[in-house]
Amino acid sequence: MTKTRSIIRGVGGYLPERILTNAELATMVDTSDEWIQQRVGIKERHIAAEGQFTSDLAVEAARQAMANAGVTPDDIDLIIVATTTPDYTFPAAATLVQMKLGMHHGMAFDIQAVCSGFVYAVATADSYLKNGLANRALVIGAETFSRLLDWTDRSTCVLFGDGAGAAIMERIELADDAPERGVLASALRSDGHYWDKLYVDGGPSSTGTTGHVHMQGPEVFRHAVGKITDVVYAALEKSGYTVADLDWFVPHQANRRIIDGAGAKLGLPPEKVIVTVDRHANTSAASVPLALSAAVADGRIKPGDLVMLEAMGGGFTWGASLIRW
């Protein structure tokens, strides 16, 4: 007898060339490097070039992930792009990625769960693969979040950046007595009653404009740690593991204080928590795969490790996925 699992075969990340430092931001808005680092732990963020779109960032991350996994576009039959900032209202950014990779086969669609998007996409791809709807998936979180910012609003413009991260997920069959691999459990949540705590004041159906990000920072912070730990415990309970079993915690890279608070509440030692927010700020749906690809590239995450992904975003949405690497 066998069991069907979806494993992560390879990961990749991409950050635009332009780096916007806190010092440079301080010349644009009333802020300082000290103020930003003390409150959110960010030192710099990357900004997409003019004419560089979300799908372009996604393709760069996808190519890295495919090279890491040893696959080509011909081997992929599902593309899911998690994004809040697609190139167009439609078509989906995923179809543009499909086109730019030279693919004419398979299926491609977007997921919109803001910062939780990549975790939602991993859980969705896992379901598609386990149910035989696809054999190999390209899952991407990609954002040009800088294009939603009001650069005169210091409460939001210092927090976000652009980037993309990707993973190749593959359906495999394991013998019942074989060691576990792949996605073991996911827990996804949302509550639209909190929509106005973190939102964009525009859209095709409301204003016909893109709009800008608005955030009630203290309210988001107040909810974040509790909601993060809720889904982490839920994923662990589904799989029969405990926090003590975790090798790595890869949280959404939004705010160093939230990351530290969640780690402390879970009882995780800081050395088990992957932190990259200082280098790329909050890249929304791209932040988890960027952190994941950085930790794989530098050798921290290794085969056999038990890895917890987690994110929370506007909506509110929040979710976690437990993966045996």
Side-chain angles (χ1 to χ4, degrees), residues 170-288:
E170 183 177 299
R171 181 176 185 260
I172 64 168
E173 297 294 328
L174 291 175
D176 280 343
D177 58 353
E180 280 286 11
R181 290 185 66 193
V183 179
L184 305 181
S186 294
L188 305 178
R189 309 270 195 270
S190 68
D191 190 339
H193 291 89
Y194 297 106
W195 74 271
D196 59 349
K197 309 302 181 191
L198 177 55
Y199 72 102
V200 169
D201 63 355
S205 181
S206 55
T207 65
T209 64
T210 303
H212 293 124
V213 175
H214 294 267
M215 180 173 68
Q216 298 179 32
E219 282 294 296
V220 174
F221 187 91
R222 185 170 69 86
H223 287 280
V225 172
K227 286 178 166 42
I228 288 167
T229 53
D230 161 59
V231 286
V232 168
Y233 284 128
L236 288 168
E237 185 178 356
K238 285 182 179 180
S239 59
Y241 288 98
T242 69
V243 170
D245 296 314
L246 293 177
D247 293 297
W248 298 104
F249 180 49
V250 186
H252 172 44
Q253 306 292 312
N255 180 316
R256 182 61 190 259
R257 289 194 296 166
I258 293 175
I259 294 170
D260 291 346
K265 187 170 182 179
L266 290 166
L268 279 168
E271 58 269 21
K272 286 190 173 186
V273 182
I274 305 298
V275 179
T276 56
V277 66
D278 56 321
R279 288 174 271 161
H280 58 66
N282 183 351
T283 54
S284 188
S287 81
V288 170

Side-chain angles (χ1 to χ4, degrees), residues 25-32 35 151-152 154 158:
L25 259 178
T27 68
M28 302 162 54
V29 68
D30 183 17
T31 191
S32 69
W35 189 92
W151 289 98
T152 67
R154 73 169 187 170
V158 303

Side-chain angles (χ1 to χ4, degrees), residues 15-20 24 28 45-49:
L15 291 164
E17 289 185 14
R18 186 192 169 198
I19 296 173
L20 178 60
E24 186 178 349
M28 302 162 54
R45 69 286 297 144
H46 291 247
I47 305 296

Side-chain angles (χ1 to χ4, degrees), residues 113-133:
V114 201
C115 301
S116 306
F118 184 77
V119 176
Y120 269 59
V122 166
T124 301
D126 178 48
S127 180
Y128 272 60
L129 293 168
K130 285 179 178 174
N131 284 285
L133 294 172

